[in-house]
């Protein structure tokens, strides 16, 4: 009832009215407080016991992430596709790997990967450590035979002290490369956005349209059924009714037909910097995304049960997009590191 009450209140205010009243009546204020609590940023980055944080590992991982010599052609680094300027994606509909070969899926962001429960669009990797060597070896991506990578890096004198500092006495080995890259990735966290400032109590941090959009996101449009919590993901897999042949998680878990066309729910942090959207990059704008959910999703047996039908007014659609915009933080000045020689 509280939910419906606030939605009605906000709707009654229309496009031009102030939403100051939201802080007034007791019931809506408690709903807002509840929402603020549920969206609070975590205080710390979780590092696994098997690969705890050290500054030496994070530094080495950062250098490895930006070093194109991890690829067979010496032309592609992780950052070529996971570029900080594009919200740690590449800004393209589909990724391009070794020899500009087009891959079948869009590059996802590595932002907030420290909180991820599984990796890749179909969740086929369990940890960042497990994930890290995959793209290096993949013929279509960095095309670097793994058995030759440690010797290749050992031939660059500047790498030896970096590995020695990160992994004393262990030389240059694949598990160290993976552990260092994973440690660096965990430190890639989205910056504080206007929405975070609102969560922390600054009512003026986001416009009224975005405040109404937050309620549309949670209530009318059912977005929060899947995009949950401070990072806006349930870390689960859903078919949201996009056309295409990609079987998603079912391709990895053969025989689970309910998972056909199911892909991992992406977090929505820094979303305005990460167009185009979806695993196939098929939706160019946030307006196109909301249009998809409201009108364009395909009806088929595997469509997620969480995909509830809804319809919005033009104002509500604009409010929803205004809310999504507030999840984007100011650009972080992220200079590529100097590479060892
Ligand atoms: C050619 C572009 C390209 C390069 C180079 C590349 N990636 Fe990726 N990355 C992708 C694509 C595409 C996917 C999604 C593939 C899929 O889901 O099937 C992905 C997925 C990921 C994910 C999973 C993210 C998530 O939310 O599930 C991580 C983490 C990642 N890459 C890290 C790396 C690291 C580390 C490197 C360097 C060692 C690297 N990538 C190099 C394109 C690239
Ligand atoms: C049934 C769960 C579910 C619901 C409900 C849902 N989403 Fe999604 N969302 C997903 C999944 C899964 C993807 C990735 C789908 C894909 O690429 O095939 C996604 C992708 C997105 C993306 C693109 C993110 C990116 O990095 O490409 C945006 C933006 C988004 N959703 C916003 C919304 C909004 C706004 C709503 C409400 C109108 C909503 N979602 C409702 C599960 C859901």
């Amino acid at each position: 009832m509280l939910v419906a009450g606030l939605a009605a209140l906000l709707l009654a205010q229309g496009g031009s009215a102030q939403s100051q009243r939201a802080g007034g009546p007791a019931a809506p204020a408690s709903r807002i407080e509840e929402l603020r609590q549920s969206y609070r940023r975590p205080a710390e980055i979780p590092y696994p016991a098997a690969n705890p944080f050290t500054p030496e590992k994070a530094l080495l991982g950062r250098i490895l992430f930006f070093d194109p010599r991890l690829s067979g052609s010496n032309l592609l680094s992780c950052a070529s596709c996971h570029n900080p300027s594009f919200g740690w994606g590449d800004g393209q509909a589909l990724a391009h790997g070794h020899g500009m070969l087009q891959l079948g899926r869009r590059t996802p962001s590595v932002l907030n990967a420290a909180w991820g429960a599984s990796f890749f669009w179909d969740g086929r990797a369990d940890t960042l450590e497990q994930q890290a060597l995959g793209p290096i070896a993949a013929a279509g991506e960095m095309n670097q035979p793994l058995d030759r990578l440690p010797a290749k890096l050992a031939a660059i004198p500047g790498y030896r002290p970096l590995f020695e500092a990160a992994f004393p006495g262990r030389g240059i080995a694949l598990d160290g490369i993976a552990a260092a890259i994973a440690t660096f990735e965990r430190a890639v966290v989205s910056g504080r956005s206007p929405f975070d400032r609102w969560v922390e109590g600054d009512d003026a941090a986001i416009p009224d349209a975005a405040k109404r959009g937050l309620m549309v996101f949670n209530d009318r449009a059912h977005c929060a059924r899947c995009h949950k919590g401070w990072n806006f993901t349930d870390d689960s897999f859903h078919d949201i009714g996009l056309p295409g042949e990609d079987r998603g998680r079912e391709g990895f878990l053969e025989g689970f037909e309910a998972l056909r066309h199911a892909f991992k729910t992406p977090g929505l942090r820094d979303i305005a910097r990460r167009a185009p959207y979806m695993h196939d990059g098929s939706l160019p704008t946030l307006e196109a995304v909301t249009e998809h959910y409201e009108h364009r999703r395909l009806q088929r047996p595997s469509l997620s049960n969480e995909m509830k039908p809804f319809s919005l007014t033009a104002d509500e659609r604009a409010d929803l997009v205004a809310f999504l915009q507030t999840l984007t933080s100011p650009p972080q000045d992220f200079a590529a590191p100097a590479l060892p020689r």
Side-chain angles (χ1 to χ4, degrees):
M1 281 327 291
L2 297 184
V3 179
L6 180 57
L9 173 70
L10 291 171
L11 283 176
Q13 291 170 342
S16 61
Q18 304 288 308
S19 68
Q20 254 108 15
R21 286 171 61 205
S30 69
R31 165 76 164 146
I32 288 195
E33 197 38 47
E34 186 192 309
L35 281 173
R36 279 184 157 139
Q37 286 302 331
S38 72
Y39 286 120
R40 219 161 255 285
R41 293 170 68 95
E44 284 177 7
I45 301 174
Y47 288 91
N51 185 20
F53 177 85
T54 69
E56 293 81 8
K57 259 193 280 185
L59 173 66
L60 172 61
R62 178 173 166 186
I63 292 170
L64 291 169
F65 194 90
F66 282 87
D67 194 338
R69 290 169 296 185
L70 266 65
S71 66
S73 64
N74 297 329
L75 292 172
L76 272 183
S77 69
C78 309
S80 308
C81 295
H82 301 284
N83 180 334
S85 311
F86 293 103
W88 300 87
D90 59 14
Q92 305 181 69
L94 295 172
H96 288 81
H98 176 69
M100 288 309 283
L101 182 87
Q102 192 177 74
L103 304 179
R105 290 175 182 166
R106 183 181 132 240
T107 306
S109 175
V110 298
L111 264 183
N112 303 332
W115 287 269
S118 64
F119 302 95
F120 290 120
W121 285 105
D122 52 12
R124 65 188 184 277
D126 289 334
T127 64
L128 288 172
E129 286 77 3
Q130 216 186 74
Q131 194 280 334
L133 300 176
I136 301 177
E141 293 185 53
M142 292 163 76
N143 195 35
Q144 168 64 51
L146 286 180
D147 54 352
R148 275 181 261 148
L149 182 59
K152 187 176 176 188
L153 296 184
I156 301 164
Y159 263 121
R160 285 182 225 145
L162 289 166
F163 275 90
E164 183 53 26
F167 306 104
R170 286 173 47 196
I172 298 184
L174 289 175
D175 61 344
I177 293 170
I181 290 177
T183 302
F184 164 70
E185 288 175 308
R186 290 193 177 97
V188 177
V189 178
S190 52
R192 274 175 83 240
S193 65
F195 180 67
D196 292 310
R197 287 191 276 120
W198 178 83
V199 164
E200 288 157 17
D202 177 358
D203 277 318
I206 62 175
D208 290 340
K211 292 175 196 168
R212 292 189 300 268
L214 168 66
M215 303 316 295
V216 174
F217 185 86
N218 271 273
D219 299 338
R220 289 285 301 286
H222 311 290
C223 312
R225 284 172 176 265
C226 302
H227 296 283
K228 289 182 211 252
W230 82 280
N231 193 31
F232 296 90
T233 174
D234 58 0
D235 272 305
S236 189
F237 303 85
H238 305 275
D239 172 7
I240 64 161
L242 289 165
E245 299 302 310
D246 194 328
R247 291 191 302 149
R249 190 144 170 88
E250 193 221 3
F252 165 63
L253 294 176
E254 284 294 339
F256 286 84
E257 278 181 33
L259 294 173
R260 185 163 298 169
H261 308 302
F263 295 87
K264 192 173 72 166
T265 310
L268 300 180
R269 291 284 175 169
D270 288 355
I271 192 69
R273 261 199 293 282
R274 299 204 272 110
Y277 302 107
M278 306 300 173
H279 72 275
D280 56 1
S282 58
L283 300 180
T285 60
L286 291 173
E287 285 78 6
V289 169
T290 55
E291 166 86 11
H292 165 80
Y293 282 107
E294 196 180 345
H295 297 302
R296 303 217 179 267
R297 73 252 190 107
L298 300 177
Q299 284 300 331
R300 58 190 172 204
S302 54
L303 186 74
S304 169
N305 289 332
E306 306 294 337
M307 289 284 289
K308 306 293 178 201
F310 64 93
S311 65
L312 302 178
T313 65
D315 281 349
E316 287 169 328
R317 254 172 244 136
D319 289 348
L320 182 55
V321 171
F323 161 65
L324 293 171
Q325 303 280 9
T326 67
L327 304 180
T328 297
S329 56
Q332 296 179 43
D333 195 8
F334 205 100
L339 298 179
R341 292 160 180 278

